[in-house]
Amino acid sequence: MEIERKFEIKELPADLSSFPCLFIEQAYLCTDPVIRIRRQDDEFYLTYKGKGLMAREEYNLPLNRNAYEHLLAKADGNIISKKRFLLPIKQPSFADGFKMPKEPMKLTIELDVFNPPFAPLIIAEVEFPDVEMAGAFIPPAWLGKDVTDNPEYHNSNLSRKVFIH
């Protein structure tokens, strides 16, 4: 199960280059249901995602480079490439009444900086262990509008976007 919230960005952190960064390239074989292939640095995956916006089923299967490249040639729409910066949230905030878990919290902001043709799009995602925590999460001030419920921000929908040159 994938449980995440998505946000626009008000401003980029000044020290962004000091955080770990992954190169991600992904493409879609199908968008209903979502069947995606992804290269993340030197790792390759085939992913199935169920329906939903904040919470949905997700299954990842490993691929090798040859299988990824074979499937990439069969993908529909845009190939998406982006840099993903991993920013740990040192002290996450939650709405009043949320019962904190006994185990220490380790949440990470995955900040996706998209390459053309999607640039200057930047989206932040935060994954959670459960829906209650996701709903109670108060984002840091530098994160902007919550776009979790807007399907336009799903990468599968971005892959179908038409660009006029």
Side-chain angles (χ1 to χ4, degrees):
M1 177 71 72
E2 175 187 57
I3 303 165
E4 70 180 7
R5 288 182 52 197
K6 295 179 182 241
F7 301 90
E8 292 180 339
I9 302 301
K10 286 184 185 173
E11 62 185 77
L12 286 174
D15 58 347
L16 188 60
S17 63
S18 69
F19 293 98
C21 180
L22 304 167
F23 172 76
I24 294 175
E25 177 183 76
Q26 61 192 39
Y28 292 81
L29 303 172
C30 185
T31 56
D32 188 16
V34 172
I35 301 174
R36 176 189 76 199
I37 56 171
R38 173 182 275 179
R39 180 177 110 207
Q40 184 170 292
D41 289 337
D42 292 323
E43 296 178 354
F44 304 89
Y45 302 96
L46 173 75
T47 302
Y48 165 86
K49 291 188 177 207
K51 291 193 180 296
L53 294 173
M54 184 171 71
R56 60 186 176 161
E57 294 295 321
E58 179 180 87
Y59 303 97
N60 288 306
L61 299 170
L63 292 175
N64 60 37
R65 179 183 295 274
N66 289 340
Y68 173 81
E69 290 174 356
H70 176 79
L71 292 169
L72 186 62
K74 299 173 183 326
D76 294 333
N78 301 301
I79 296 171
I80 296 172
S81 64
K82 56 191 175 181
K83 288 182 181 177
R84 173 169 284 172
F85 294 89
L86 305 173
L87 291 75
I89 304 174
K90 293 184 176 139
Q91 294 183 327
S93 297
F94 297 95
D96 290 340
F98 176 72
K99 186 176 179 182
M100 295 292 289
K102 293 177 184 171
E103 296 294 319
M105 302 279 316
K106 289 189 179 180
L107 296 177
T108 301
I109 295 171
E110 297 176 345
L111 187 65
D112 289 345
V113 179
F114 288 77
N115 294 330
F118 300 98
L121 180 62
I122 301 171
I123 298 174
E125 300 178 352
V126 181
E127 291 196 21
F128 301 90
D130 59 58
V131 173
E132 181 184 17
M133 183 183 291
F137 176 70
I138 299 171
W142 63 273
L143 292 182
K145 179 180 172 187
D146 186 329
V147 295
T148 303
D149 293 328
N150 185 341
E152 291 179 29
Y153 287 88
H154 276 254
N155 286 284
S156 58
N157 290 328
L158 290 173
S159 75
R160 297 186 315 211
K161 186 172 180 168
V162 175
F163 293 91
I164 299 171
H165 301 283

